[in-house]
PDB file of all heavy atoms in Angstrom:
ATOM      1  N   ALA A 273       7.300  -1.801   3.353  1.00 93.00           N
ATOM      2  CA  ALA A 273       5.789  -1.692   3.400  1.00 93.00           C
ATOM      3  C   ALA A 273       5.224  -2.466   2.163  1.00 93.00           C
ATOM      4  O   ALA A 273       4.239  -3.205   2.282  1.00 93.00           O
ATOM      5  CB  ALA A 273       5.236  -0.327   3.155  1.00 93.00           C
ATOM      6  N   THR A 274       5.886  -2.429   1.048  1.00 95.00           N
ATOM      7  CA  THR A 274       5.276  -3.104  -0.093  1.00 95.00           C
ATOM      8  C   THR A 274       5.417  -4.622   0.096  1.00 95.00           C
ATOM      9  O   THR A 274       4.453  -5.394  -0.327  1.00 95.00           O
ATOM     10  CB  THR A 274       6.027  -2.727  -1.361  1.00 95.00           C
ATOM     11  OG1 THR A 274       7.414  -2.839  -1.291  1.00 95.00           O
ATOM     12  CG2 THR A 274       5.574  -1.315  -1.756  1.00 95.00           C
ATOM     13  N   ASP A 275       6.471  -5.134   0.666  1.00 94.00           N
ATOM     14  CA  ASP A 275       6.618  -6.579   0.992  1.00 94.00           C
ATOM     15  C   ASP A 275       5.567  -6.929   1.998  1.00 94.00           C
ATOM     16  O   ASP A 275       5.078  -8.083   1.923  1.00 94.00           O
ATOM     17  CB  ASP A 275       7.977  -6.865   1.589  1.00 94.00           C
ATOM     18  CG  ASP A 275       9.100  -6.718   0.574  1.00 94.00           C
ATOM     19  OD1 ASP A 275       8.871  -6.606  -0.727  1.00 94.00           O
ATOM     20  OD2 ASP A 275      10.321  -6.720   0.997  1.00 94.00           O
ATOM     21  N   LEU A 276       5.278  -6.129   2.845  1.00 92.00           N
ATOM     22  CA  LEU A 276       4.251  -6.428   3.932  1.00 92.00           C
ATOM     23  C   LEU A 276       2.909  -6.569   3.261  1.00 92.00           C
ATOM     24  O   LEU A 276       2.101  -7.523   3.610  1.00 92.00           O
ATOM     25  CB  LEU A 276       4.253  -5.379   5.001  1.00 92.00           C
ATOM     26  CG  LEU A 276       3.284  -5.575   6.161  1.00 92.00           C
ATOM     27  CD1 LEU A 276       3.408  -6.827   6.849  1.00 92.00           C
ATOM     28  CD2 LEU A 276       3.450  -4.399   7.189  1.00 92.00           C
ATOM     29  N   ILE A 277       2.551  -5.656   2.436  1.00 95.00           N
ATOM     30  CA  ILE A 277       1.245  -5.675   1.685  1.00 95.00           C
ATOM     31  C   ILE A 277       1.134  -6.895   0.790  1.00 95.00           C
ATOM     32  O   ILE A 277       0.104  -7.620   0.928  1.00 95.00           O
ATOM     33  CB  ILE A 277       1.070  -4.360   0.864  1.00 95.00           C
ATOM     34  CG1 ILE A 277       0.934  -3.131   1.742  1.00 95.00           C
ATOM     35  CG2 ILE A 277      -0.215  -4.532  -0.067  1.00 95.00           C
ATOM     36  CD1 ILE A 277       1.122  -1.734   0.951  1.00 95.00           C
ATOM     37  N   ARG A 278       2.234  -7.255   0.170  1.00 95.00           N
ATOM     38  CA  ARG A 278       2.203  -8.485  -0.637  1.00 95.00           C
ATOM     39  C   ARG A 278       2.010  -9.699   0.214  1.00 95.00           C
ATOM     40  O   ARG A 278       1.210 -10.656  -0.130  1.00 95.00           O
ATOM     41  CB  ARG A 278       3.477  -8.648  -1.456  1.00 95.00           C
ATOM     42  CG  ARG A 278       3.538  -7.817  -2.733  1.00 95.00           C
ATOM     43  CD  ARG A 278       4.772  -8.091  -3.630  1.00 95.00           C
ATOM     44  NE  ARG A 278       5.086  -6.920  -4.358  1.00 95.00           N
ATOM     45  CZ  ARG A 278       5.896  -6.026  -4.131  1.00 95.00           C
ATOM     46  NH1 ARG A 278       6.624  -5.973  -3.093  1.00 95.00           N
ATOM     47  NH2 ARG A 278       6.035  -5.045  -5.081  1.00 95.00           N
ATOM     48  N   SER A 279       2.627  -9.739   1.324  1.00 92.00           N
ATOM     49  CA  SER A 279       2.486 -10.756   2.229  1.00 92.00           C
ATOM     50  C   SER A 279       1.050 -10.998   2.800  1.00 92.00           C
ATOM     51  O   SER A 279       0.536 -12.031   2.837  1.00 92.00           O
ATOM     52  CB  SER A 279       3.506 -10.694   3.493  1.00 92.00           C
ATOM     53  OG  SER A 279       3.264 -11.651   4.392  1.00 92.00           O
ATOM     54  N   LEU A 280       0.475  -9.823   3.122  1.00 93.00           N
ATOM     55  CA  LEU A 280      -0.922  -9.866   3.557  1.00 93.00           C
ATOM     56  C   LEU A 280      -1.774 -10.389   2.466  1.00 93.00           C
ATOM     57  O   LEU A 280      -2.793 -11.168   2.662  1.00 93.00           O
ATOM     58  CB  LEU A 280      -1.415  -8.482   3.895  1.00 93.00           C
ATOM     59  CG  LEU A 280      -0.809  -7.838   5.189  1.00 93.00           C
ATOM     60  CD1 LEU A 280      -1.087  -6.387   5.281  1.00 93.00           C
ATOM     61  CD2 LEU A 280      -1.337  -8.586   6.455  1.00 93.00           C
ATOM     62  N   ARG A 281      -1.553 -10.013   1.197  1.00 95.00           N
ATOM     63  CA  ARG A 281      -2.464 -10.379   0.073  1.00 95.00           C
ATOM     64  C   ARG A 281      -2.244 -11.929  -0.253  1.00 95.00           C
ATOM     65  O   ARG A 281      -3.159 -12.536  -0.723  1.00 95.00           O
ATOM     66  CB  ARG A 281      -2.068  -9.548  -1.177  1.00 95.00           C
ATOM     67  CG  ARG A 281      -2.577  -8.161  -0.911  1.00 95.00           C
ATOM     68  CD  ARG A 281      -4.042  -8.019  -0.889  1.00 95.00           C
ATOM     69  NE  ARG A 281      -4.536  -6.646  -0.638  1.00 95.00           N
ATOM     70  CZ  ARG A 281      -5.192  -6.294   0.504  1.00 95.00           C
ATOM     71  NH1 ARG A 281      -5.504  -7.161   1.388  1.00 95.00           N
ATOM     72  NH2 ARG A 281      -5.556  -5.105   0.632  1.00 95.00           N
ATOM     73  N   GLU A 282      -1.063 -12.501   0.025  1.00 94.00           N
ATOM     74  CA  GLU A 282      -0.823 -13.864  -0.223  1.00 94.00           C
ATOM     75  C   GLU A 282      -1.363 -14.797   0.719  1.00 94.00           C
ATOM     76  O   GLU A 282      -1.550 -16.050   0.436  1.00 94.00           O
ATOM     77  CB  GLU A 282       0.670 -14.018  -0.308  1.00 94.00           C
ATOM     78  CG  GLU A 282       1.345 -13.449  -1.533  1.00 94.00           C
ATOM     79  CD  GLU A 282       2.932 -13.441  -1.514  1.00 94.00           C
ATOM     80  OE1 GLU A 282       3.426 -13.868  -0.433  1.00 94.00           O
ATOM     81  OE2 GLU A 282       3.511 -12.900  -2.472  1.00 94.00           O
ATOM     82  N   GLN A 283      -1.774 -14.403   1.914  1.00 92.00           N
ATOM     83  CA  GLN A 283      -2.220 -15.227   2.988  1.00 92.00           C
ATOM     84  C   GLN A 283      -3.744 -15.189   2.954  1.00 92.00           C
ATOM     85  O   GLN A 283      -4.323 -14.181   3.028  1.00 92.00           O
ATOM     86  CB  GLN A 283      -1.750 -14.826   4.307  1.00 92.00           C
ATOM     87  CG  GLN A 283      -0.169 -14.899   4.476  1.00 92.00           C
ATOM     88  CD  GLN A 283       0.215 -14.336   5.806  1.00 92.00           C
ATOM     89  OE1 GLN A 283      -0.405 -14.578   6.817  1.00 92.00           O
ATOM     90  NE2 GLN A 283       1.346 -13.711   5.844  1.00 92.00           N
ATOM     91  N   PRO A 284      -4.457 -16.394   2.848  1.00 94.00           N
ATOM     92  CA  PRO A 284      -5.867 -16.430   2.855  1.00 94.00           C
ATOM     93  C   PRO A 284      -6.560 -15.742   4.022  1.00 94.00           C
ATOM     94  O   PRO A 284      -7.555 -15.081   3.748  1.00 94.00           O
ATOM     95  CB  PRO A 284      -6.129 -17.896   2.782  1.00 94.00           C
ATOM     96  CG  PRO A 284      -4.963 -18.579   2.336  1.00 94.00           C
ATOM     97  CD  PRO A 284      -3.744 -17.665   2.693  1.00 94.00           C
ATOM     98  N   ALA A 285      -5.929 -15.851   5.120  1.00 92.00           N
ATOM     99  CA  ALA A 285      -6.558 -15.177   6.343  1.00 92.00           C
ATOM    100  C   ALA A 285      -6.415 -13.694   6.307  1.00 92.00           C
ATOM    101  O   ALA A 285      -7.300 -13.033   7.046  1.00 92.00           O
ATOM    102  CB  ALA A 285      -5.752 -15.689   7.681  1.00 92.00           C
ATOM    103  N   THR A 286      -5.683 -13.001   5.495  1.00 93.00           N
ATOM    104  CA  THR A 286      -5.618 -11.617   5.467  1.00 93.00           C
ATOM    105  C   THR A 286      -5.730 -11.020   4.161  1.00 93.00           C
ATOM    106  O   THR A 286      -5.762  -9.729   4.012  1.00 93.00           O
ATOM    107  CB  THR A 286      -4.204 -11.165   5.989  1.00 93.00           C
ATOM    108  OG1 THR A 286      -3.127 -11.759   5.190  1.00 93.00           O
ATOM    109  CG2 THR A 286      -3.962 -11.532   7.480  1.00 93.00           C
ATOM    110  N   ALA A 287      -5.946 -11.801   3.095  1.00 95.00           N
ATOM    111  CA  ALA A 287      -5.989 -11.333   1.716  1.00 95.00           C
ATOM    112  C   ALA A 287      -7.163 -10.378   1.484  1.00 95.00           C
ATOM    113  O   ALA A 287      -6.946  -9.332   0.697  1.00 95.00           O
ATOM    114  CB  ALA A 287      -6.256 -12.495   0.779  1.00 95.00           C
ATOM    115  N   ALA A 288      -8.239 -10.385   2.214  1.00 95.00           N
ATOM    116  CA  ALA A 288      -9.360  -9.530   1.958  1.00 95.00           C
ATOM    117  C   ALA A 288      -9.437  -8.276   2.793  1.00 95.00           C
ATOM    118  O   ALA A 288     -10.335  -7.463   2.729  1.00 95.00           O
ATOM    119  CB  ALA A 288     -10.722 -10.313   2.055  1.00 95.00           C
ATOM    120  N   ILE A 289      -8.559  -8.136   3.754  1.00 95.00           N
ATOM    121  CA  ILE A 289      -8.642  -6.990   4.675  1.00 95.00           C
ATOM    122  C   ILE A 289      -8.188  -5.767   3.822  1.00 95.00           C
ATOM    123  O   ILE A 289      -7.085  -5.714   3.246  1.00 95.00           O
ATOM    124  CB  ILE A 289      -7.592  -7.126   5.795  1.00 95.00           C
ATOM    125  CG1 ILE A 289      -7.917  -8.396   6.644  1.00 95.00           C
ATOM    126  CG2 ILE A 289      -7.480  -5.896   6.701  1.00 95.00           C
ATOM    127  CD1 ILE A 289      -6.970  -8.780   7.708  1.00 95.00           C
ATOM    128  N   PRO A 290      -9.013  -4.728   3.865  1.00 96.00           N
ATOM    129  CA  PRO A 290      -8.632  -3.377   3.185  1.00 96.00           C
ATOM    130  C   PRO A 290      -7.411  -2.885   3.758  1.00 96.00           C
ATOM    131  O   PRO A 290      -7.131  -2.763   4.983  1.00 96.00           O
ATOM    132  CB  PRO A 290      -9.836  -2.567   3.371  1.00 96.00           C
ATOM    133  CG  PRO A 290     -10.943  -3.460   3.864  1.00 96.00           C
ATOM    134  CD  PRO A 290     -10.249  -4.569   4.496  1.00 96.00           C
ATOM    135  N   VAL A 291      -6.495  -2.411   2.721  1.00 97.00           N
ATOM    136  CA  VAL A 291      -5.220  -1.731   3.195  1.00 97.00           C
ATOM    137  C   VAL A 291      -5.253  -0.456   2.534  1.00 97.00           C
ATOM    138  O   VAL A 291      -5.330  -0.269   1.334  1.00 97.00           O
ATOM    139  CB  VAL A 291      -4.099  -2.572   2.713  1.00 97.00           C
ATOM    140  CG1 VAL A 291      -2.709  -1.872   2.972  1.00 97.00           C
ATOM    141  CG2 VAL A 291      -4.015  -3.939   3.327  1.00 97.00           C
ATOM    142  N   ILE A 292      -4.918   0.596   3.315  1.00 96.00           N
ATOM    143  CA  ILE A 292      -4.707   1.979   2.819  1.00 96.00           C
ATOM    144  C   ILE A 292      -3.209   2.260   3.068  1.00 96.00           C
ATOM    145  O   ILE A 292      -2.805   2.287   4.170  1.00 96.00           O
ATOM    146  CB  ILE A 292      -5.571   3.012   3.595  1.00 96.00           C
ATOM    147  CG1 ILE A 292      -7.091   2.791   3.232  1.00 96.00           C
ATOM    148  CG2 ILE A 292      -5.185   4.464   3.047  1.00 96.00           C
ATOM    149  CD1 ILE A 292      -8.060   3.734   3.996  1.00 96.00           C
ATOM    150  N   GLY A 293      -2.463   2.594   2.007  1.00 96.00           N
ATOM    151  CA  GLY A 293      -1.112   2.988   2.158  1.00 96.00           C
ATOM    152  C   GLY A 293      -1.045   4.447   2.083  1.00 96.00           C
ATOM    153  O   GLY A 293      -1.817   5.127   1.365  1.00 96.00           O
ATOM    154  N   TYR A 294      -0.086   5.114   2.716  1.00 96.00           N
ATOM    155  CA  TYR A 294       0.050   6.528   2.666  1.00 96.00           C
ATOM    156  C   TYR A 294       1.559   7.007   2.657  1.00 96.00           C
ATOM    157  O   TYR A 294       2.344   6.163   3.157  1.00 96.00           O
ATOM    158  CB  TYR A 294      -0.676   7.204   3.845  1.00 96.00           C
ATOM    159  CG  TYR A 294      -0.279   6.825   5.241  1.00 96.00           C
ATOM    160  CD1 TYR A 294       0.767   7.407   5.903  1.00 96.00           C
ATOM    161  CD2 TYR A 294      -0.901   5.721   5.770  1.00 96.00           C
ATOM    162  CE1 TYR A 294       1.115   6.978   7.217  1.00 96.00           C
ATOM    163  CE2 TYR A 294      -0.522   5.227   7.096  1.00 96.00           C
ATOM    164  CZ  TYR A 294       0.460   5.861   7.816  1.00 96.00           C
ATOM    165  OH  TYR A 294       0.798   5.428   8.983  1.00 96.00           O
ATOM    166  N   ALA A 295       1.808   8.000   2.006  1.00 95.00           N
ATOM    167  CA  ALA A 295       3.130   8.661   1.799  1.00 95.00           C
ATOM    168  C   ALA A 295       3.024  10.073   1.550  1.00 95.00           C
ATOM    169  O   ALA A 295       1.855  10.531   1.313  1.00 95.00           O
ATOM    170  CB  ALA A 295       3.901   7.895   0.760  1.00 95.00           C
ATOM    171  N   GLY A 296       4.080  10.757   1.597  1.00 92.00           N
ATOM    172  CA  GLY A 296       4.041  12.183   1.133  1.00 92.00           C
ATOM    173  C   GLY A 296       3.503  12.459  -0.223  1.00 92.00           C
ATOM    174  O   GLY A 296       3.742  11.546  -1.094  1.00 92.00           O
ATOM    175  N   HIS A 297       2.816  13.523  -0.399  1.00 86.00           N
ATOM    176  CA  HIS A 297       2.207  13.768  -1.750  1.00 86.00           C
ATOM    177  C   HIS A 297       3.209  13.828  -2.901  1.00 86.00           C
ATOM    178  O   HIS A 297       2.935  13.499  -4.121  1.00 86.00           O
ATOM    179  CB  HIS A 297       1.283  14.942  -1.768  1.00 86.00           C
ATOM    180  CG  HIS A 297       2.036  16.335  -1.719  1.00 86.00           C
ATOM    181  ND1 HIS A 297       2.547  16.822  -0.519  1.00 86.00           N
ATOM    182  CD2 HIS A 297       2.409  17.079  -2.650  1.00 86.00           C
ATOM    183  CE1 HIS A 297       3.160  17.934  -0.804  1.00 86.00           C
ATOM    184  NE2 HIS A 297       3.114  18.154  -2.000  1.00 86.00           N
ATOM    185  N   VAL A 298       4.482  14.159  -2.610  1.00 89.00           N
ATOM    186  CA  VAL A 298       5.520  14.211  -3.702  1.00 89.00           C
ATOM    187  C   VAL A 298       6.272  12.931  -3.768  1.00 89.00           C
ATOM    188  O   VAL A 298       7.044  12.722  -4.690  1.00 89.00           O
ATOM    189  CB  VAL A 298       6.520  15.351  -3.330  1.00 89.00           C
ATOM    190  CG1 VAL A 298       5.905  16.725  -3.389  1.00 89.00           C
ATOM    191  CG2 VAL A 298       7.336  15.133  -2.015  1.00 89.00           C
ATOM    192  N   GLU A 299       5.924  11.941  -2.911  1.00 90.00           N
ATOM    193  CA  GLU A 299       6.556  10.663  -2.956  1.00 90.00           C
ATOM    194  C   GLU A 299       5.718   9.619  -3.865  1.00 90.00           C
ATOM    195  O   GLU A 299       5.341   8.618  -3.413  1.00 90.00           O
ATOM    196  CB  GLU A 299       6.801  10.092  -1.612  1.00 90.00           C
ATOM    197  CG  GLU A 299       7.705  11.032  -0.748  1.00 90.00           C
ATOM    198  CD  GLU A 299       7.847  10.579   0.672  1.00 90.00           C
ATOM    199  OE1 GLU A 299       6.768  10.529   1.376  1.00 90.00           O
ATOM    200  OE2 GLU A 299       8.950  10.314   1.082  1.00 90.00           O
ATOM    201  N   ARG A 300       5.525  10.045  -5.136  1.00 92.00           N
ATOM    202  CA  ARG A 300       4.617   9.344  -5.972  1.00 92.00           C
ATOM    203  C   ARG A 300       5.128   7.891  -6.196  1.00 92.00           C
ATOM    204  O   ARG A 300       4.275   7.009  -6.366  1.00 92.00           O
ATOM    205  CB  ARG A 300       4.575  10.044  -7.258  1.00 92.00           C
ATOM    206  CG  ARG A 300       3.863  11.280  -7.226  1.00 92.00           C
ATOM    207  CD  ARG A 300       3.567  11.919  -8.607  1.00 92.00           C
ATOM    208  NE  ARG A 300       3.234  13.279  -8.602  1.00 92.00           N
ATOM    209  CZ  ARG A 300       2.143  13.767  -8.240  1.00 92.00           C
ATOM    210  NH1 ARG A 300       1.257  12.983  -7.744  1.00 92.00           N
ATOM    211  NH2 ARG A 300       1.808  15.168  -8.339  1.00 92.00           N
ATOM    212  N   GLU A 301       6.500   7.662  -6.170  1.00 95.00           N
ATOM    213  CA  GLU A 301       6.976   6.227  -6.365  1.00 95.00           C
ATOM    214  C   GLU A 301       6.522   5.356  -5.276  1.00 95.00           C
ATOM    215  O   GLU A 301       6.254   4.161  -5.495  1.00 95.00           O
ATOM    216  CB  GLU A 301       8.505   6.324  -6.590  1.00 95.00           C
ATOM    217  CG  GLU A 301       9.263   6.589  -5.288  1.00 95.00           C
ATOM    218  CD  GLU A 301       9.389   8.085  -4.979  1.00 95.00           C
ATOM    219  OE1 GLU A 301       8.858   8.942  -5.748  1.00 95.00           O
ATOM    220  OE2 GLU A 301      10.120   8.469  -4.077  1.00 95.00           O
ATOM    221  N   PHE A 302       6.356   5.868  -4.013  1.00 96.00           N
ATOM    222  CA  PHE A 302       5.952   5.018  -2.957  1.00 96.00           C
ATOM    223  C   PHE A 302       4.455   4.729  -3.094  1.00 96.00           C
ATOM    224  O   PHE A 302       3.978   3.716  -2.801  1.00 96.00           O
ATOM    225  CB  PHE A 302       6.226   5.751  -1.538  1.00 96.00           C
ATOM    226  CG  PHE A 302       7.671   5.740  -1.130  1.00 96.00           C
ATOM    227  CD1 PHE A 302       8.394   6.887  -1.372  1.00 96.00           C
ATOM    228  CD2 PHE A 302       8.145   4.596  -0.624  1.00 96.00           C
ATOM    229  CE1 PHE A 302       9.770   6.806  -1.031  1.00 96.00           C
ATOM    230  CE2 PHE A 302       9.516   4.578  -0.208  1.00 96.00           C
ATOM    231  CZ  PHE A 302      10.278   5.729  -0.403  1.00 96.00           C
ATOM    232  N   LEU A 303       3.672   5.734  -3.521  1.00 96.00           N
ATOM    233  CA  LEU A 303       2.232   5.641  -3.704  1.00 96.00           C
ATOM    234  C   LEU A 303       2.011   4.627  -4.827  1.00 96.00           C
ATOM    235  O   LEU A 303       1.138   3.716  -4.636  1.00 96.00           O
ATOM    236  CB  LEU A 303       1.601   6.944  -4.009  1.00 96.00           C
ATOM    237  CG  LEU A 303       1.681   7.987  -2.861  1.00 96.00           C
ATOM    238  CD1 LEU A 303       1.275   9.354  -3.344  1.00 96.00           C
ATOM    239  CD2 LEU A 303       0.823   7.549  -1.631  1.00 96.00           C
ATOM    240  N   GLN A 304       2.714   4.731  -5.938  1.00 97.00           N
ATOM    241  CA  GLN A 304       2.560   3.789  -7.049  1.00 97.00           C
ATOM    242  C   GLN A 304       2.959   2.292  -6.569  1.00 97.00           C
ATOM    243  O   GLN A 304       2.258   1.422  -6.913  1.00 97.00           O
ATOM    244  CB  GLN A 304       3.313   4.168  -8.233  1.00 97.00           C
ATOM    245  CG  GLN A 304       2.833   5.452  -8.813  1.00 97.00           C
ATOM    246  CD  GLN A 304       3.833   6.138  -9.904  1.00 97.00           C
ATOM    247  OE1 GLN A 304       4.950   5.674  -9.934  1.00 97.00           O
ATOM    248  NE2 GLN A 304       3.264   7.106 -10.663  1.00 97.00           N
ATOM    249  N   ALA A 305       4.017   2.237  -5.846  1.00 97.00           N
ATOM    250  CA  ALA A 305       4.524   1.003  -5.318  1.00 97.00           C
ATOM    251  C   ALA A 305       3.467   0.303  -4.455  1.00 97.00           C
ATOM    252  O   ALA A 305       3.233  -0.900  -4.453  1.00 97.00           O
ATOM    253  CB  ALA A 305       5.842   1.009  -4.750  1.00 97.00           C
ATOM    254  N   GLY A 306       2.870   1.108  -3.623  1.00 97.00           N
ATOM    255  CA  GLY A 306       1.793   0.562  -2.649  1.00 97.00           C
ATOM    256  C   GLY A 306       0.679  -0.038  -3.453  1.00 97.00           C
ATOM    257  O   GLY A 306       0.185  -1.097  -3.205  1.00 97.00           O
ATOM    258  N   MET A 307       0.215   0.696  -4.456  1.00 97.00           N
ATOM    259  CA  MET A 307      -0.947   0.071  -5.294  1.00 97.00           C
ATOM    260  C   MET A 307      -0.486  -1.145  -6.112  1.00 97.00           C
ATOM    261  O   MET A 307      -1.159  -2.094  -6.127  1.00 97.00           O
ATOM    262  CB  MET A 307      -1.408   1.222  -6.313  1.00 97.00           C
ATOM    263  CG  MET A 307      -2.319   2.296  -5.742  1.00 97.00           C
ATOM    264  SD  MET A 307      -3.695   1.709  -4.867  1.00 97.00           S
ATOM    265  CE  MET A 307      -4.797   1.035  -6.218  1.00 97.00           C
ATOM    266  N   ALA A 308       0.765  -1.100  -6.564  1.00 98.00           N
ATOM    267  CA  ALA A 308       1.290  -2.244  -7.283  1.00 98.00           C
ATOM    268  C   ALA A 308       1.336  -3.540  -6.357  1.00 98.00           C
ATOM    269  O   ALA A 308       1.201  -4.723  -6.868  1.00 98.00           O
ATOM    270  CB  ALA A 308       2.492  -1.961  -7.956  1.00 98.00           C
ATOM    271  N   ALA A 309       1.631  -3.257  -5.102  1.00 97.00           N
ATOM    272  CA  ALA A 309       1.837  -4.310  -4.167  1.00 97.00           C
ATOM    273  C   ALA A 309       0.499  -4.919  -3.647  1.00 97.00           C
ATOM    274  O   ALA A 309       0.357  -6.045  -3.081  1.00 97.00           O
ATOM    275  CB  ALA A 309       2.618  -3.844  -2.884  1.00 97.00           C
ATOM    276  N   GLY A 310      -0.598  -4.173  -3.947  1.00 97.00           N
ATOM    277  CA  GLY A 310      -1.936  -4.731  -3.627  1.00 97.00           C
ATOM    278  C   GLY A 310      -2.730  -3.882  -2.573  1.00 97.00           C
ATOM    279  O   GLY A 310      -3.737  -4.368  -2.135  1.00 97.00           O
ATOM    280  N   ALA A 311      -2.267  -2.688  -2.219  1.00 97.00           N
ATOM    281  CA  ALA A 311      -3.073  -1.890  -1.338  1.00 97.00           C
ATOM    282  C   ALA A 311      -4.478  -1.567  -2.009  1.00 97.00           C
ATOM    283  O   ALA A 311      -4.515  -1.390  -3.322  1.00 97.00           O
ATOM    284  CB  ALA A 311      -2.326  -0.523  -1.156  1.00 97.00           C
ATOM    285  N   THR A 312      -5.442  -1.498  -1.207  1.00 96.00           N
ATOM    286  CA  THR A 312      -6.782  -1.224  -1.683  1.00 96.00           C
ATOM    287  C   THR A 312      -6.840   0.165  -2.258  1.00 96.00           C
ATOM    288  O   THR A 312      -7.483   0.483  -3.245  1.00 96.00           O
ATOM    289  CB  THR A 312      -7.895  -1.327  -0.615  1.00 96.00           C
ATOM    290  OG1 THR A 312      -7.649  -2.655   0.097  1.00 96.00           O
ATOM    291  CG2 THR A 312      -9.245  -1.328  -1.108  1.00 96.00           C
ATOM    292  N   MET A 313      -6.212   1.146  -1.535  1.00 96.00           N
ATOM    293  CA  MET A 313      -6.033   2.498  -2.016  1.00 96.00           C
ATOM    294  C   MET A 313      -4.756   3.141  -1.394  1.00 96.00           C
ATOM    295  O   MET A 313      -4.339   2.587  -0.354  1.00 96.00           O
ATOM    296  CB  MET A 313      -7.330   3.377  -1.821  1.00 96.00           C
ATOM    297  CG  MET A 313      -7.593   3.591  -0.349  1.00 96.00           C
ATOM    298  SD  MET A 313      -9.247   4.492  -0.011  1.00 96.00           S
ATOM    299  CE  MET A 313      -8.874   6.060  -0.653  1.00 96.00           C
ATOM    300  N   VAL A 314      -4.333   4.154  -2.031  1.00 96.00           N
ATOM    301  CA  VAL A 314      -3.160   4.890  -1.479  1.00 96.00           C
ATOM    302  C   VAL A 314      -3.546   6.326  -1.387  1.00 96.00           C
ATOM    303  O   VAL A 314      -4.288   6.820  -2.191  1.00 96.00           O
ATOM    304  CB  VAL A 314      -1.804   4.685  -2.252  1.00 96.00           C
ATOM    305  CG1 VAL A 314      -1.421   3.225  -2.145  1.00 96.00           C
ATOM    306  CG2 VAL A 314      -1.981   5.074  -3.612  1.00 96.00           C
ATOM    307  N   VAL A 315      -3.075   7.160  -0.461  1.00 96.00           N
ATOM    308  CA  VAL A 315      -3.381   8.548  -0.293  1.00 96.00           C
ATOM    309  C   VAL A 315      -2.177   9.151   0.315  1.00 96.00           C
ATOM    310  O   VAL A 315      -1.299   8.612   0.892  1.00 96.00           O
ATOM    311  CB  VAL A 315      -4.610   8.669   0.707  1.00 96.00           C
ATOM    312  CG1 VAL A 315      -5.897   8.048   0.116  1.00 96.00           C
ATOM    313  CG2 VAL A 315      -4.376   8.154   1.972  1.00 96.00           C
ATOM    314  N   PRO A 316      -2.090  10.490   0.097  1.00 96.00           N
ATOM    315  CA  PRO A 316      -1.042  11.303   0.686  1.00 96.00           C
ATOM    316  C   PRO A 316      -1.289  11.424   2.219  1.00 96.00           C
ATOM    317  O   PRO A 316      -2.383  11.368   2.732  1.00 96.00           O
ATOM    318  CB  PRO A 316      -1.104  12.711   0.018  1.00 96.00           C
ATOM    319  CG  PRO A 316      -2.421  12.808  -0.677  1.00 96.00           C
ATOM    320  CD  PRO A 316      -2.917  11.320  -0.855  1.00 96.00           C
ATOM    321  N   ASN A 317      -0.078  11.647   2.861  1.00 94.00           N
ATOM    322  CA  ASN A 317      -0.289  11.827   4.390  1.00 94.00           C
ATOM    323  C   ASN A 317      -1.191  12.841   4.828  1.00 94.00           C
ATOM    324  O   ASN A 317      -1.992  12.670   5.749  1.00 94.00           O
ATOM    325  CB  ASN A 317       1.157  12.207   4.920  1.00 94.00           C
ATOM    326  CG  ASN A 317       2.225  11.153   4.836  1.00 94.00           C
ATOM    327  OD1 ASN A 317       1.995  10.066   4.680  1.00 94.00           O
ATOM    328  ND2 ASN A 317       3.439  11.672   4.900  1.00 94.00           N
ATOM    329  N   SER A 318      -1.307  13.922   4.006  1.00 93.00           N
ATOM    330  CA  SER A 318      -2.284  15.024   4.331  1.00 93.00           C
ATOM    331  C   SER A 318      -3.622  14.528   4.425  1.00 93.00           C
ATOM    332  O   SER A 318      -4.485  15.048   5.247  1.00 93.00           O
ATOM    333  CB  SER A 318      -2.049  16.163   3.403  1.00 93.00           C
ATOM    334  OG  SER A 318      -2.323  15.777   2.105  1.00 93.00           O
TER     335      SER A 318
END
């Protein structure tokens, strides 16, 4: 997922599309990695 988000951000045609990443609330490393990759926001699955 993080590679996919980075790829979207690198392409001019998709760079501005808002991206919401989601993972389990205890999977903080995935949520943090999603933000670091360029997600507009991340939220828990719930």
Side-chain angles (χ1 to χ4, degrees):
T274 53
D275 291 345
L276 181 55
I277 294 168
R278 281 188 200 94
S279 175
L280 290 168
R281 293 297 176 237
E282 291 170 356
Q283 298 177 36
T286 58
I289 298 172
V291 174
I292 297 176
Y294 56 92
H297 71 279
V298 297
E299 298 174 301
R300 295 191 195 287
E301 68 278 5
F302 287 99
L303 297 170
Q304 292 169 346
M307 283 304 291
T312 311
M313 67 185 290
V314 296
V315 297
N317 293 340
S318 59

